[in-house]
Amino acid sequence: MTTKEATARRIGPLKTPTGLGSGATQDISGALNILVADMFALYMKTKNFPLARFGPALPRLSSLAG
């Protein structure tokens, strides 16, 4: 394969055969985008969070849940 052929393949569109129309594809990708963003936000909120703490850490735990 030459460099020119490799470049043409890289630029070419992805043609995955599905029964979905372009509107359905955009709807699904939009919903997945929101879902992934929410999951990432939840991960960042709970990363290294001490869930098994009581006492002085309790207000912090309550603020996370609310």
Side-chain angles (χ1 to χ4, degrees):
M1 178 184 308
T2 66
T3 304
K4 190 174 182 178
E5 290 172 344
T7 304
R9 283 185 181 210
R10 185 177 31 191
I11 296 173
L14 178 63
K15 295 181 182 177
T16 304
T18 65
L20 301 173
S22 64
T25 305
Q26 288 178 351
D27 291 343
I28 292 170
S29 66
L32 285 174
N33 191 14
I34 293 169
L35 180 66
V36 169
D38 287 348
M39 294 287 289
F40 182 71
L42 182 63
Y43 167 75
M44 291 305 288
K45 267 185 139 178
T46 58
K47 180 179 161 195
N48 295 328
F49 195 81
L51 294 176
R53 296 264 173 111
F54 297 102
L58 190 59
R60 237 180 7 163
L61 182 61
S62 298
S63 69
L64 176 71

